[in-house]
Amino acid sequence: MPSSVLHGSFRLVVAIALVGASTCVNQARVIADETTQWLQLIEQSKSELDANRLPSAEETEADVVASMDAAEAFFQRVTDPSNHDAWMKFLDFGPLRSAIENNESVAKRGNAAVELSQRLSGPEEGLELSRLVALRDSVDRYLAALRYGDPKRGLAVIDRQLTTLSEILSPNEDTEEADGSAPRSLADLSGEEVARIQSIVDALAAANQASGLVSRITGRYSSPNLRAFVDGRVISDAITRPVNNPERVNDCLLGTRIIGDARVVGNVTGSLLPSEGNVRLLIRLDGQFSTSTKGYNGPVTLRSSGFGQVYAARQLVITEKRIFAGEPIATASLSTQINQINHPLKLVRKIASKKAAEMKPQAEAISRKKLQDRVLEGFREQTDEASTRTFPDLDAKMSPWLRRLDLPAPVRMIGSTTDAVHVRATMRRPFGLSAPGEAPSLSTVRTASSSGTYPGGYSAAVQVHESILNNTVMKLLAGDTFTPEKLRDLTSSFGIPSDKNDTTDEASATNEEQPESFEVDFSGFRPVYFEARDQTLRIGLRGDRFAQGDRELDRRLEVSAAYRPAITEDGRTMLVRDEEIDLKFPGGRRLTMTQTAIKANIEEGFDKLFPMTLLHRELTLPSTLQLPTLAGRSAKVIGIDAQDGWLTIVVR
C-alpha cells in the first residue's frame, strides 16, 4: 500500500476517534450539567422556603369537617335510613370528629385521619362517588397540613428533605468523583433512590414549597411507563383471506344480450400505515377476473371469453371507540376475445365479425366500467361491516375502580407503524415520577432463535417500567396488613400467573406439615417493588411487623427474590428464581434468640410465597375473540428482558 494512502487512512481513523470522543465528552457534560442544575435549584429552593405557603391546619380542618357533614347529608338525602346507617358505620367519622372537637394532639388527629383515608380507598362499591372522592382529597390535604402546618417544624422538615435530595444526587463517597467535582448522572440512580426522590417530591408538593424544583423533576420523569406492541403480521394474518367469487352474467351490452359465468379469484390483505393517535390500516383486494359468456344479437350468437385484473383498496382508521372507513377505490383491466360466431350464412358471420371488431373497444370500455363499479360496490359492502363495529368504553369500565382505589387514570396514546401497532400509556399521580425516557428497543430483547426481537418474529410484547408501582399500589398498600394469600395474588399482578397449583401439587405429594399462615404490616415507604436491572428482576416487599400464630416480630424487615431469564430447549423463555431469598432487617440491631427463631419461619413462609419459576405457562387467547384466526390459540413467552428499570415480555 502506498505510504500516502496509509497516512491518509490513519488520519481518517484519528479524526473519527476524535469526533467520537468529543461526542462522548459532550454527552457526559450534558448529563453532568443537568444534575448540577438540579443541585443549584435545590440550594435556591432552600433559600426561598416560605412559611406563608405552608398549608393551613385551621383551614383544612374546617374543610374536613364540612366535607364529612356534606357526605353524611348526601347519604341522608339519596338513600334510605338503613343504607345511610350502614354507610355511616363503615365510614366511621366519630374518631376524627372527636379528635378535632377535643383539640387532641397532632398525632391523634393524624392517626384518625389516616384511618379514614384508608377506609375511603378500597374495592367497595360506592367509594367512587364524587362526594366521597372529594372527602378523601380533603382528608389528604388535612394530613399534609398536620405534617407541615407548623411553620418552624414544617420548614425544618422540608429543609431536611432538600438536603436528602442533594445527598442522593451528589457523588458517592466511595467513587473517584467524591470530591464533588462531578455530580452523579440521573441514569445511574437505583430504583430505591428514584423512589426516595418520589417521596421527597410528594412532600415538597404537599407543603407548597419548591414548585420550580418539583416541576423540573416531574418534567424529567414524565415519559410513558407502559408500552405494548402487536406485530403487524398478526394483524395481517387476521385479515388475509382468499377470494373466489363466482357469479352469473345476464347483461345487455350495445344491443347484445350477454349470458354466462364470471369469477374473481384473489386475496384480501391488510397492511399497517404510519399513524399517531389512531391505527391506520389499508385493506386491499388483488384478484384476477375471468368470464365465459354467450351473446345473442338477433339470429347471431357469439361465444367469448375475457380476463383481467381487479384491485380495490380502503383505509380504516381505528380509534379506541370505533372504526372509521375512508372512501374506497377500485380499478379494473379487461381484455375480451370472441372465440366463435354462429350463424348459418358465412356472409352474415363475416359481417358480424367485422362489426364486433369495430365495437370491441367501446364494449370493453363499458364492460371495464361495469366491472369496476361492481368490484367497488362489493368491496364497500364488505368493509362497511367493519366500520359499524364499536369497542367497549375502557374509561367507563375503569373509572369507577380507579376512583375507588385512588389510582391515577392512565393517559394513553395508540398508533401504528408499517411493522406494528403500539400503545403508550402513563400511569402517574399528579406529582408522580414515571419513566425517565424511552423503553429499550425490542431489537435488544434476545430470544432462543435470535439476538433480538424483529418484525415477523413475535406476536405481541409488553414493557412495564418500575415506576408503575410507585404511582399505583404504593399509597394503597402503605401501612396495610396482608396475608400470604393476598400477597400471592399481588405477585401474580406482575403479569404472571403464580405457581399456586404447582405448590399445592407438591404439598399434596409430601406428608410434610405445612407452615402456619402469617401476616405482615406493610411499611409506609415502598411496601412492594420490582426492579429490572442488568437482566435481573427483583421482586420485594417491606414490612414493619411480622406475626405468625402467637409469635410476633415487631421490627422492620425486607424480603426479596431475584429472577433471571432462562431459555428452555423448546424455545420458551421463563424467569427462574435464585435458590435463596434475600431477607434483611434494616437498622443494624442484632436479633434476639426469639427473633432469630422467628426468622427461620419467615424465610420458610416467603420461600413458598415466591414461586421458583414465573412466565413458564402458555397463554391461551379467549375462544370468544372476534378474530377467528386468533381465537383459542396459545402463545408462549419467547423473550424476557430486564434493563434500565424496564421489564419486557415478548410472546409468540
Side-chain angles (χ1 to χ4, degrees):
M1 178 183 293
S3 61
S4 60
V5 175
L6 179 62
H7 293 159
S9 301
F10 179 75
R11 286 196 298 270
L12 178 61
V13 170
V14 171
I16 292 174
L18 289 175
V19 170
S22 175
T23 301
C24 293
V25 170
N26 289 337
Q27 289 175 344
R29 185 178 297 118
V30 168
I31 293 173
D33 287 348
E34 182 180 30
T35 313
T36 299
Q37 291 171 5
W38 281 29
L39 291 170
Q40 293 171 348
L41 199 51
I42 291 171
E43 293 305 314
Q44 179 182 337
S45 299
K46 282 188 171 186
S47 66
E48 295 176 349
L49 295 179
D50 186 355
N52 294 324
R53 291 201 300 267
L54 292 172
S56 168
E58 292 77 10
E59 292 179 3
T60 55
E61 192 168 82
D63 184 54
V64 164
V65 173
S67 295
M68 288 190 293
D69 292 341
E72 184 170 4
F74 169 78
F75 286 113
Q76 285 178 334
R77 186 172 66 254
V78 302
T79 64
D80 56 62
S82 61
N83 195 24
H84 164 267
D85 293 343
W87 269 108
M88 291 303 100
K89 181 178 180 180
F90 172 77
L91 295 172
D92 191 14
F93 294 149
L96 181 56
R97 273 201 175 116
S98 175
I100 292 174
E101 291 171 358
N102 296 327
N103 196 27
E104 294 185 358
S105 66
V106 170
K108 289 187 176 180
R109 282 179 287 166
N111 289 336
V114 167
E115 292 173 358
L116 176 57
S117 178
Q118 290 177 338
R119 290 193 294 273
L120 289 168
S121 298
E124 289 79 8
E125 186 175 354
L127 289 178
E128 74 278 6
L129 293 170
S130 297
R131 186 66 65 182
L132 296 182
V133 173
L135 173 59
R136 185 174 63 229
D137 293 341
S138 178
V139 172
D140 289 343
R141 290 193 297 272
Y142 180 50
L143 284 169
L146 291 176
R147 293 188 186 102
Y148 309 110
D150 176 75
K152 183 178 180 180
R153 184 169 56 86
L155 293 183
V157 170
I158 294 303
D159 187 81
R160 288 196 299 272
Q161 296 277 21
L162 291 170
T163 299
T164 300
L165 179 58
S166 180
E167 292 171 351
I168 293 173
L169 299 174
S170 299
N172 292 326
E173 294 182 358
D174 56 350
T175 63
E176 296 179 358
E177 297 86 2
D179 58 358
S181 60
R184 297 181 65 191
S185 165
L186 299 181
D188 294 335
L189 297 178
S190 67
E192 174 82 4
E193 290 169 324
V194 174
R196 289 172 63 194
I197 294 175
Q198 169 73 82
S199 67
I200 293 171
V201 169
D202 287 338
L204 297 175
N208 298 324
Q209 304 293 319
S211 59
L213 177 62
V214 169
S215 178
R216 177 69 67 89
I217 296 175
T218 55
R220 179 63 172 79
Y221 289 88
S222 59
S223 296
N225 49 15
L226 178 64
R227 301 193 67 178
F229 301 85
V230 177
D231 187 60
R233 290 197 185 181
V234 173
I235 297 172
S236 179
D237 291 345
I239 294 172
T240 299
R241 62 179 178 84
V243 173
N244 191 343
N245 293 339
E247 62 177 5
R248 290 290 295 168
V249 177
N250 189 345
D251 200 1
C252 184
L253 183 63
L254 299 178
T256 300
R257 189 56 141 184
I258 307 296
I259 297 176
D261 297 296
R263 184 182 295 270
V264 174
V265 178
N267 288 286
V268 172
T269 58
S271 57
L272 292 168
L273 300 173
S275 182
E276 280 297 328
N278 51 55
V279 175
R280 284 202 300 152
L281 189 63
L282 179 65
I283 309 294
R284 55 184 290 171
L285 164 67
D286 292 281
Q288 293 78 44
F289 178 77
S290 62
T291 62
S292 177
T293 60
K294 187 174 184 180
Y296 298 88
N297 192 328
V300 178
T301 61
L302 301 89
R303 292 189 177 277
S304 61
S305 59
F307 62 92
Q309 303 289 325
V310 294
Y311 170 81
R314 193 176 195 182
Q315 275 196 38
L316 301 182
V317 177
I318 305 171
T319 69
E320 290 189 13
K321 297 185 181 299
R322 57 166 299 183
I323 300 176
F324 298 90
E327 191 63 25
I329 61 171
T331 61
S333 64
L334 180 64
S335 177
T336 60
Q337 179 178 346
I338 298 175
N339 300 319
Q340 184 179 5
I341 299 177
N342 298 318
H343 191 275
L345 299 178
K346 182 177 180 180
L347 178 61
V348 174
R349 295 198 299 272
K350 185 175 181 180
I351 294 172
S353 177
K354 182 178 180 181
K355 187 68 174 177
E358 293 174 353
M359 299 176 65
K360 182 180 179 183
Q362 184 181 5
E364 284 187 346
I366 295 173
S367 297
R368 183 170 58 251
K369 182 64 168 63
K370 288 185 176 183
L371 172 61
Q372 181 175 304
D373 290 345
R374 286 203 305 273
V375 170
L376 181 65
E377 190 57 32
F379 194 68
R380 183 194 300 275
E381 290 178 1
Q382 293 181 19
T383 51
D384 274 347
E385 296 178 5
S387 64
T388 61
R389 182 177 299 176
T390 58
F391 305 117
D393 190 338
L394 293 179
D395 291 324
K397 290 180 176 294
M398 291 192 302
S399 180
W401 285 98
L402 295 175
R403 288 163 66 88
R404 290 172 197 166
L405 298 171
D406 192 28
L407 299 178
V411 178
R412 305 181 300 276
M413 175 68 76
I414 64 173
S416 58
T417 64
T418 55
D419 296 323
V421 170
H422 58 261
V423 180
R424 296 193 299 271
T426 306
M427 293 198 71
R428 180 187 186 194
R429 294 189 178 276
F431 295 99
L433 308 185
S434 58
E438 290 294 315
S441 169
L442 293 184
S443 63
T444 66
V445 180
R446 187 169 69 95
T447 67
S449 58
S450 175
S451 60
T453 301
Y454 302 104
Y458 74 106
S459 298
V462 62
Q463 297 181 299
V464 183
H465 190 261
E466 55 195 25
S467 63
I468 283 282
L469 286 186
N470 294 343
N471 285 279
T472 54
V473 301
M474 291 303 185
K475 182 179 178 182
L476 190 66
L477 298 180
D480 216 337
T481 300
F482 274 72
T483 62
E485 292 73 24
K486 293 181 180 179
L487 292 174
R488 194 176 292 114
D489 292 339
L490 178 66
T491 58
S492 69
S493 70
F494 291 123
I496 26 211
S498 68
D499 280 4
K500 285 186 288 185
N501 294 337
D502 295 350
T503 304
T504 302
D505 293 341
E506 292 172 5
S508 62
T510 64
N511 294 323
E512 296 180 6
E513 183 180 350
Q514 297 302 302
E516 296 179 77
S517 182
F518 61 86
E519 63 180 27
V520 176
D521 289 349
F522 276 144
S523 296
F525 172 72
R526 218 179 181 209
V528 297
Y529 62 88
F530 84 88
E531 294 179 349
R533 307 291 173 104
D534 301 323
Q535 300 309 321
T536 300
L537 173 67
R538 182 170 293 277
I539 302 175
L541 60 88
R542 286 187 170 98
D544 291 329
R545 182 187 69 90
F546 175 90
Q548 185 179 45
D550 58 354
R551 297 179 296 275
E552 182 172 313
L553 182 60
D554 193 9
R555 64 175 294 177
R556 293 170 55 203
L557 63 92
E558 180 178 346
V559 60
S560 63
Y563 292 85
R564 308 177 199 279
I567 298 176
T568 64
E569 293 182 356
D570 60 351
R572 293 180 297 117
T573 304
M574 65 176 66
L575 287 170
V576 178
R577 199 194 85 186
D578 286 356
E579 190 67 27
E580 300 294 331
I581 63 171
D582 186 13
L583 177 61
K584 296 183 292 188
F585 297 91
R589 289 186 295 120
R590 298 180 62 180
L591 297 178
T592 65
M593 293 183 62
T594 303
Q595 291 173 337
T596 302
I598 297 177
K599 178 183 176 183
N601 294 82
I602 297 175
E603 289 176 332
E604 183 178 4
F606 281 110
D607 185 69
K608 294 184 178 298
L609 175 67
F610 294 108
M612 290 302 298
T613 58
L614 298 174
L615 292 174
H616 58 288
R617 303 182 190 276
E618 286 193 350
L619 311 173
T620 302
L621 297 177
S623 58
T624 56
L625 200 65
Q626 295 186 4
L627 294 174
T629 56
L630 299 178
R633 293 182 60 179
S634 295
K636 62 182 180 181
V637 177
I638 61 168
I640 301 174
D641 185 78
Q643 60 174 310
D644 301 331
W646 288 92
L647 173 65
T648 302
I649 301 169
V650 183
V651 302
R652 181 172 60 205

